[in-house]
Amino acid sequence: MPKNKIQFQKGLSLPDFIAKYGTEQQCQEHLFRLRWPSGFVCPRCHSKQYSKLSTRPLYQCKKCKYQSSLISNTIFASTKLPLTVWFLAIYYLTQSKKGISSLNLSRILGISANASLRLKHKLQQVMKNEDDAHPLTGNIQIDDAYWGGKKHDGVRGRGATGKTPFIAAVSTNNAGHPIHMRLSRLSSFSSEEIRSWALNHLHNCQTVLSDGLRGFTGIKKAGFNHISITTGGGYQSTQIEAFTWINTILGNVKRFLHGTYHAISSKHLPRYLAEFCYRFNRRFHLEYMPAALIRAAVNSKPIPQHKLQRAEDWW
Ligand SMILES: [Zn+2]
């Protein structure tokens, strides 16, 4: 039997990662190269002459004395954590197939549970923004799904209370293999909500395949070629070949959410779904995932605290 090429691919080893990003200076130099790939340019006077402050990661323009922070206007803005901690978190988030809880991360990184949760939510948001910027293309399978509530018996919860609805979509290539996936929380499965989702997350699709849920008519309203297969719901619907990938993926994401995290509030669900998608969408590039997420984090705008975390903590 041939080896599974995803499972057996070379990742980035922890020693290799530490050799590259193990010191604060290495991390700062890496950030510097990402922010100013052609060399430092003063944002105020465009001079290229600068000096680095020894106490903080600040770069001072020699001409106008303006001080540029290495982390301002990035996801790392105003952090009190060393960059080595952030980079290591990025390593664990991208290299562990099943994800890592913020509590586990706090132990590994030696930071408080709260700091770990904030850091993790910020990185999850970076993952979400990255994927949301690239709509799915090709042939698409979609399905409705629910998170939470009391039942975990695999019965789909249409109409059930206490559950958070989300839409699952997977793009497949012409050979029928899954390429990318998207999981998005919705407020309902109304036709209008799905139309709006489709406009944001689909582009240039050949076909969009779903079951007969009424709200999926929103796909056609958004201008896509929608094919609906009436399944009758329940166990039988999970056995239809056309829905193989979407059913497999939904099974995997639910195992991931239950396995790594004890309880996720509806409010934060989109970030956890995005974390799962981010790794799935880059599963052929495990070795390069940390560098890609570092780059994305540098290019991300800061997230203010009030947007990050409100009342609920769940660990
Ligand atoms: Zn200047």
Side-chain angles (χ1 to χ4, degrees):
M1 210 171 119
K3 281 184 176 179
N4 179 322
K5 67 178 178 182
I6 298 174
Q7 217 171 341
F8 284 88
Q9 72 175 301
K10 188 172 162 266
L12 181 60
S13 77
L14 187 54
D16 284 350
F17 184 83
I18 297 289
K20 218 171 165 185
Y21 307 113
T23 70
E24 199 61 13
Q25 191 183 338
Q26 282 173 312
C27 295
Q28 286 179 9
E29 283 169 2
H30 188 65
L31 237 59
F32 185 93
R33 284 192 296 272
L34 289 174
R35 294 207 70 168
W36 296 296
S38 314
F40 178 83
V41 180
C42 172
R44 188 196 269 169
C45 76
H46 306 294
S47 166
K48 287 177 171 263
Q49 301 297 314
Y50 73 97
S51 56
K52 185 179 180 297
L53 266 65
S54 56
T55 47
R56 282 181 296 162
L58 289 174
Y59 297 81
Q60 181 165 293
C61 172
K62 281 193 173 170
K63 201 172 165 191
C64 75
K65 307 292 178 204
Y66 183 80
Q67 291 182 345
S68 305
S69 158
L70 199 53
I71 56 173
S72 67
N73 222 20
T74 74
I75 203 76
F76 310 113
S78 73
T79 185
K80 293 184 174 66
L81 299 173
L83 287 171
T84 48
V85 166
W86 279 95
F87 279 36
L88 207 49
I90 286 172
Y91 175 82
Y92 281 105
L93 266 178
T94 54
Q95 299 297 293
S96 50
K97 195 183 166 203
K98 291 178 179 169
I100 183 162
S101 73
S102 79
L103 196 57
N104 216 347
L105 210 50
S106 81
R107 293 190 192 108
I108 291 173
L109 301 176
I111 59 176
S112 74
N114 279 341
S116 176
L117 193 59
R118 279 198 299 274
L119 165 148
K120 178 159 181 182
H121 277 182
K122 285 181 181 177
L123 292 175
Q124 283 178 322
Q125 191 65 42
V126 172
M127 292 171 154
K128 184 173 178 343
N129 296 350
E130 277 290 289
D131 274 0
D132 281 352
H134 299 100
L136 299 179
T137 59
N139 292 305
I140 313 289
Q141 298 173 15
I142 57 173
D143 203 1
D144 59 308
Y146 292 85
W147 170 250
K150 283 178 184 167
K151 280 188 171 180
H152 295 305
D153 55 6
V155 175
R156 298 204 296 179
R158 279 178 192 168
T161 54
K163 288 173 180 274
T164 304
F166 66 96
I167 190 166
V170 58
S171 64
T172 57
N173 61 15
N174 287 334
H177 296 136
I179 305 299
H180 294 121
M181 64 183 286
R182 183 71 39 88
L183 301 168
S184 312
R185 185 188 63 190
L186 301 179
S187 55
S188 75
F189 288 112
S190 72
S191 170
E192 184 47 39
E193 179 99 2
I194 288 174
R195 186 186 83 90
S196 162
W197 174 86
L199 290 172
N200 283 320
H201 295 283
L202 303 180
H203 181 65
N204 258 346
C205 295
Q206 285 149 5
T207 56
V208 183
L209 193 70
S210 77
D211 64 16
L213 180 71
R214 184 190 291 262
F216 286 142
T217 53
I219 299 290
K220 197 170 183 186
K221 288 181 189 163
F224 295 101
N225 179 22
H226 178 223
I227 300 170
S228 130
I229 297 179
T230 307
T231 62
Y235 174 76
Q236 276 184 332
S237 67
T238 65
Q239 300 302 300
I240 292 176
E241 206 182 331
F243 297 118
T244 302
W245 283 117
I246 198 70
N247 287 327
T248 305
I249 281 167
L250 272 173
N252 287 345
V253 73
K254 286 182 179 176
R255 264 194 300 281
F256 156 74
L257 293 173
H258 284 302
T260 310
Y261 308 109
H262 303 300
I264 298 167
S265 69
S266 168
K267 191 168 33 182
H268 296 294
L269 180 65
R271 291 195 185 125
Y272 288 86
L273 295 175
E275 180 196 336
F276 184 85
C277 288
Y278 186 91
R279 277 193 299 267
F280 180 88
N281 290 338
R282 290 155 188 82
R283 65 201 181 282
F284 297 113
H285 310 288
L286 189 59
E287 188 179 353
Y288 305 105
M289 235 193 282
L293 187 54
I294 290 169
R295 178 183 291 273
V298 172
N299 292 330
S300 292
K301 295 273 172 262
I303 304 173
Q305 182 60 24
H306 70 274
K307 278 196 179 173
L308 198 65
Q309 179 73 313
R310 294 183 185 92
E312 297 169 69
D313 276 356
W314 50 87
W315 288 300

